[in-house]
Each structure stands twice: as C-alpha cells, then as structure tokens.
Amino acid sequence: MRSHKGEARQMGILTRSLCLLCFFFCLPIPGTSAPPSEYQLKAAFLYNFALFTEWPDQVGDTLYLCIHGRDPFGEDLAKLDHRQVGTRTILTRHTLTLNEVQSCHMVFISNTAIGQLSRILEALEGIPVLTVADTPGAMRQGVALNMVRQHNRIAFEANLTAARAQGLNLSSRLLRLATEVEQ
C-alpha cells in the first residue's frame, strides 16, 4: 500500500511534468520563432510515460528506451539520456532485431516497423516492456500506449490490458489523461 506522502510526491511529479508539457506547447524554442516539433513533444510524452509506469524490481537501475524502426526523433530523444525515472536512469538506443527489442524496457515502435507489430508483440510476451507507438489503431492491436494527433495536439490512448500482460502498472493519474483507455 502506498503512503499519502508517496502519492503526494508522485502527484507533484505529475504536475511538474504536465507543466513542462504545457511549457513545450506554449513557448517557442529559444533562438527560434517556431513552436516545438511534433517529435519534441512526443519525446516529452515518452519521458512522462516512463515516470508514470510502475516497473518491476527486475528492471534494475537502468531503463532502456529503444526505438525500433526508423528514428523520427533525431536529437530530441538523446536529450532523455541520463534523465532519472525514480531511482533508474534512462538510456536510449536503436534496435534492429527482435532479439534486441527483448532487452529494452520501453520500446517506441516507429511507423516503419509497425508492419512487424504482431511479431514484435509476440517476441515481448511476458517481458516487462512498455510498448509505445504513434500509429492509428496500434492501441487496439496490442500496443500499451499510442500517441495520436487530436485537434492539432498530441494526445494518447492506453491499452491497460496490454500493459498488465507485460507485468506493468500504469498510474491512474496517467490513465486519466488518456483520450481512451481499453481495459
């Protein structure tokens, strides 16, 4: 059972994270007049997904965030390297094979790899890996979190059944922000 102090701390983290997302949405990047790119925002979402996922102890001290397929993030994802998620440190990497995906804790399945989705999910069966995509219909196909564009904003859908099948718990605070939750 979690203490009220722990819940308050987690709520404070969520509030700060949401403020950060609002900051990204509302302000241009210093030195430019352009708002943040779609994938800068999605990188921020990935970080928040990691923060509000309860990881099993077997994950260890390093949380490997992998991109499977062509990397749409560029330098924006590298900014997550060495960021803290609780007591764990994020390290990003790119995967080319299904065996490599099995050593990840969080995997973003890019549009170029979505055709392999059923094989990827099969390879990850029973392994505590949070699957994330940004492809229409991916949540219904078994991806735990799927980012979508809605009214010119980034939103996300959650497949709670898929996350639980991987031994992961998604925070109720995170789920409240989802546009759709499949249970």
Side-chain angles (χ1 to χ4, degrees):
M1 178 173 270
R2 292 186 180 155
S3 69
H4 291 291
K5 187 181 254 186
E7 287 180 18
R9 182 177 178 275
Q10 197 172 32
M11 188 58 153
I13 292 170
L14 178 62
T15 301
R16 286 190 303 274
S17 298
L18 292 175
C19 287
L20 180 64
L21 285 174
C22 290
F23 179 78
F24 280 134
F25 270 117
C26 300
L27 296 177
I29 299 169
T32 70
S33 59
S37 73
E38 175 181 355
Y39 281 93
Q40 285 173 322
L41 293 172
K42 287 180 177 180
F45 270 85
L46 287 175
Y47 178 68
N48 282 288
F49 293 159
L51 279 174
F52 295 99
T53 298
E54 188 177 316
W55 303 94
D57 292 338
Q58 72 194 53
V59 168
D61 294 337
T62 304
L63 190 67
Y64 291 103
L65 168 55
C66 302
I67 304 301
H68 191 69
R70 185 187 59 77
D71 179 1
F73 293 95
E75 295 176 17
D76 298 320
L77 194 67
K79 293 175 184 173
L80 296 180
D81 274 331
H82 307 291
R83 300 269 322 256
Q84 291 297 122
V85 174
T87 60
R88 296 179 174 96
T89 302
I90 292 179
L91 286 180
T92 60
R93 60 185 181 191
H94 299 86
T95 59
L96 300 173
T97 68
L98 293 179
N99 286 340
E100 290 175 311
V101 170
Q102 292 174 334
S103 66
C104 302
H105 300 109
M106 190 171 173
V107 63
F108 177 82
I109 304 159
S110 75
N111 289 329
T112 60
I114 207 72
Q116 303 174 351
L117 184 57
S118 62
R119 289 180 41 217
I120 294 167
L121 295 175
E122 185 179 306
L124 296 175
E125 195 170 316
I127 302 171
V129 177
L130 181 66
T131 53
V132 183
D134 66 349
T135 303
M139 184 218 26
R140 285 193 172 68
Q141 294 178 50
V143 170
L145 296 168
N146 188 47
M147 293 180 273
V148 294
R149 288 188 64 97
Q150 201 172 61
H151 310 293
N152 288 327
R153 294 175 41 167
I154 306 298
F156 69 95
E157 309 162 324
N159 185 327
L160 193 53
T161 303
R164 287 181 177 155
Q166 298 308 116
L168 303 171
N169 289 314
L170 302 176
S171 165
S172 61
R173 291 173 183 93
L174 178 69
L175 294 173
R176 277 184 245 158
L177 299 174
T179 58
E180 183 178 347
V181 176
E182 187 169 299
Q183 297 191 37

